[in-house]
Amino acid sequence: MYDLASYAVSSKNSRGRHIREKPPLGRSEFQRDRDRIIHSTAFRRLEYKTQVFVNHEGDLFRTRLTHTLEVSQIGRSVARNLRLNEDLVEAIALAHDLGHTPFGHAGQDALNECMKNYGGFEHNLQSLRVVDVLEERYGAFDGLNLCFETREGILKHCTKKNAKSLGDVGERFLANQRPSLEAQLSNLADEIAYNNHDVDDGLRSGLITQEQLEEVVIFSRHLAMTKKQYPKILGRRLIQETVRRMINTLVTDLIKQSTANIASAKLSSLRAVLAAPCLISFSEKIRLEQQELKKFLHNNLYQHYQVTRMSNKAHHTVKTLFNMFSGNTRLLPPKYQAKSYQEKYQAIADYIAGMTDRYAIKEYRRLFIIEEN
Ligand code: MG
């Protein structure tokens, strides 16, 4: 292991776990967090949850799981270059989407609407809830009892109202402070991963075309470089070589700009990170190019009529399940039925949010259709 920077999070300056545990043998506190996340049930479910394309639409599209692995890979490379805690970045990245509903953003929007009068639903908060409360695997505690810094990184955003009820991880939102550089980095690694794989998946699906993308500066610049170096390559190979270069440009830019930001902030400790502005960032040029690409994906891929049709079905499915369970909690499996006596709507939201795409589809059928064998 390389020497960590003085402002990186370490096992020594960590705020620790809610329930005290003996230090792990042969691994760091954050490696232990990572290991707990990988062994969790919610982690295995990521394989069958939508990123943009619903799981059964094709075998080669990203799922939440492969997206998560890409975020972790990008985050770790950057962390190492900045001498930040790679294990912490890995743990945050692997857990960052654990609270996602089935069917991606359409599912989350539907559940949020259903929960409007009961506190709402937000996937960042739900990811925290998964690791703090919902996983049931350890004798001594509910959840995974992760370190403060891992939990803080998982909770990317949160309203001041929610922050008040979250205890330690909510404090920074009220005090208007920044999270660790490792948390800031995980956030941008997420962005690098999804912008690029959505270009790749979007083209693979045929919903967007190379000609359309040639109007986006960052894509056309890298496409031209690829064509110049390899004039003969075509099709998927040309696209993949272009996307690979885009990721490389973003990662290198992020390392370079963040190194400069950190140097000019003259950081000496982790405490100094909290009071400083966000220091992990792209250069202005790349930030604007990324913004243009995001806008393109929003208008042409996420709002494509075929995606919208699927989102609409997803919305309908989640909403209908929610309404059905709220009307009669005896339809819930026993574990959630028992929980519904204390917090009815929260129990229903937890049940639905935990579903994979295909489980939600099956549950919908089980509830509404009498099938003959
Ligand atoms: Mg993500």
Side-chain angles (χ1 to χ4, degrees):
M1 181 81 166
Y2 50 95
D3 280 339
L4 289 176
S6 57
Y7 40 82
V9 175
S10 68
S11 295
K12 283 194 198 104
N13 64 18
S14 167
R15 287 174 64 176
R17 306 173 191 277
H18 270 171
I19 314 252
R20 283 187 69 136
E21 296 183 58
K22 276 195 204 143
L25 287 175
R27 51 183 178 163
S28 74
E29 293 287 0
F30 297 101
Q31 284 174 324
R32 169 144 81 181
D33 280 5
R34 174 205 56 203
D35 299 347
R36 288 184 176 180
I37 291 159
I38 289 182
H39 288 277
S40 70
T41 311
F43 186 77
R44 288 193 294 282
R45 289 180 174 150
L46 294 174
E47 186 174 2
Y48 301 102
K49 289 195 176 198
T50 293
Q51 182 65 29
V52 172
F53 296 92
V54 175
N55 191 264
H56 63 251
E57 290 184 291
D59 290 347
L60 297 178
F61 297 125
R62 267 70 175 188
T63 63
R64 283 263 162 225
L65 180 62
T66 57
H67 159 72
T68 292
L69 296 175
E70 290 183 26
V71 176
S72 156
Q73 176 269 317
I74 291 167
R76 288 176 57 191
S77 300
V78 179
R80 200 174 267 249
N81 275 280
L82 298 178
R83 291 197 299 127
L84 297 176
N85 192 324
E86 186 180 335
D87 299 328
L88 171 58
V89 171
E90 187 180 16
I92 297 172
L94 294 178
H96 87 284
D97 272 350
L98 291 180
H100 255 289
T101 59
F103 312 121
H105 283 279
Q108 127 136 352
D109 292 347
L111 200 49
N112 188 29
E113 264 178 45
C114 298
M115 289 291 286
K116 192 169 69 210
N117 299 325
Y118 320 107
F121 178 89
E122 215 273 312
H123 77 265
N124 288 315
L125 277 174
Q126 190 69 10
S127 298
L128 189 64
R129 195 169 155 74
V130 167
V131 300
D132 278 356
V133 183
L134 296 177
E135 282 288 325
E136 295 174 343
R137 22 190 346 105
Y138 297 92
F141 43 78
D142 282 345
L144 306 178
N145 196 32
L146 301 180
C147 292
F148 169 83
E149 294 75 13
T150 311
R151 299 172 52 242
E152 175 191 62
I154 294 172
L155 184 69
K156 262 187 281 188
H157 324 277
C158 134
T159 59
K160 292 218 160 155
K161 188 168 156 256
N162 285 330
K164 283 183 194 147
S165 62
L166 289 172
D168 53 2
V169 282
E171 285 164 15
R172 77 175 172 90
F173 296 96
L174 302 171
N176 198 20
Q177 288 184 325
R178 251 53 56 198
S180 68
L181 296 178
E182 285 83 353
Q184 296 179 31
L185 165 55
S186 309
N187 215 350
L188 289 180
D190 188 19
E191 194 175 313
I192 295 177
Y194 67 68
N195 277 334
N196 285 286
H197 64 50
D198 289 353
V199 165
D200 187 38
D201 283 353
L203 287 167
R204 184 189 297 279
S205 68
L207 300 187
I208 53 174
T209 63
Q210 193 179 307
E211 291 66 44
Q212 277 178 303
L213 263 166
E214 280 171 31
E215 295 185 7
V216 178
V217 174
I218 197 162
F219 182 85
S220 66
R221 184 153 52 88
H222 289 88
L223 181 70
M225 284 195 290
T226 310
K227 280 181 171 169
K228 198 171 164 210
Q229 193 177 351
Y230 303 107
K232 289 188 182 145
I233 66 168
L234 291 165
R236 292 291 315 157
R237 194 159 178 177
L238 176 60
I239 289 161
Q240 273 156 190
E241 180 66 37
T242 305
V243 171
R244 178 183 82 74
R245 281 157 189 262
M246 278 170 32
I247 297 177
N248 190 50
T249 297
L250 294 169
V251 166
T252 354
D253 182 80
L254 187 62
I255 294 170
K256 205 171 143 207
Q257 185 64 46
S258 305
T259 305
N261 295 346
I262 291 169
S264 62
K266 298 193 170 52
L267 293 181
S268 54
S269 67
L270 177 59
R271 280 186 86 83
V273 171
L274 313 181
C278 266
L279 296 173
I280 305 295
S281 72
F282 296 112
S283 64
E284 191 55 11
K285 175 185 166 216
I286 290 290
R287 191 184 68 80
L288 292 171
E289 286 185 1
Q290 282 269 88
Q291 220 172 47
E292 186 202 13
L293 173 61
K294 263 191 186 176
K295 206 168 156 196
F296 171 87
L297 289 169
H298 184 79
N299 293 337
N300 298 284
L301 181 61
Y302 311 143
Q303 297 197 340
H304 188 283
Y305 86 97
Q306 276 175 270
V307 175
T308 306
R309 283 182 179 195
M310 187 51 95
S311 303
N312 191 55
K313 280 193 262 189
H315 197 100
H316 169 78
T317 306
V318 167
K319 222 171 164 171
T320 314
L321 287 174
F322 188 93
N323 290 338
M324 201 55 149
F325 292 129
S326 330
N328 184 359
T329 51
R330 292 172 75 103
L331 295 169
L332 287 165
K335 182 174 130 188
Y336 291 94
Q337 210 176 114
K339 289 186 179 180
S340 75
Y341 298 132
Q342 279 112 39
E343 296 178 292
K344 175 172 157 181
Y345 297 103
Q346 185 63 61
I348 297 170
D350 288 340
Y351 180 45
I352 294 179
M355 293 178 184
T356 60
D357 296 351
R358 56 185 194 174
Y359 185 94
I361 296 167
K362 262 194 213 158
E363 186 74 339
Y364 182 90
R365 268 204 220 116
R366 280 194 289 254
L367 277 167
F368 294 99
I369 298 176
I370 298 174
E371 273 167 313
E372 289 180 81
N373 286 327

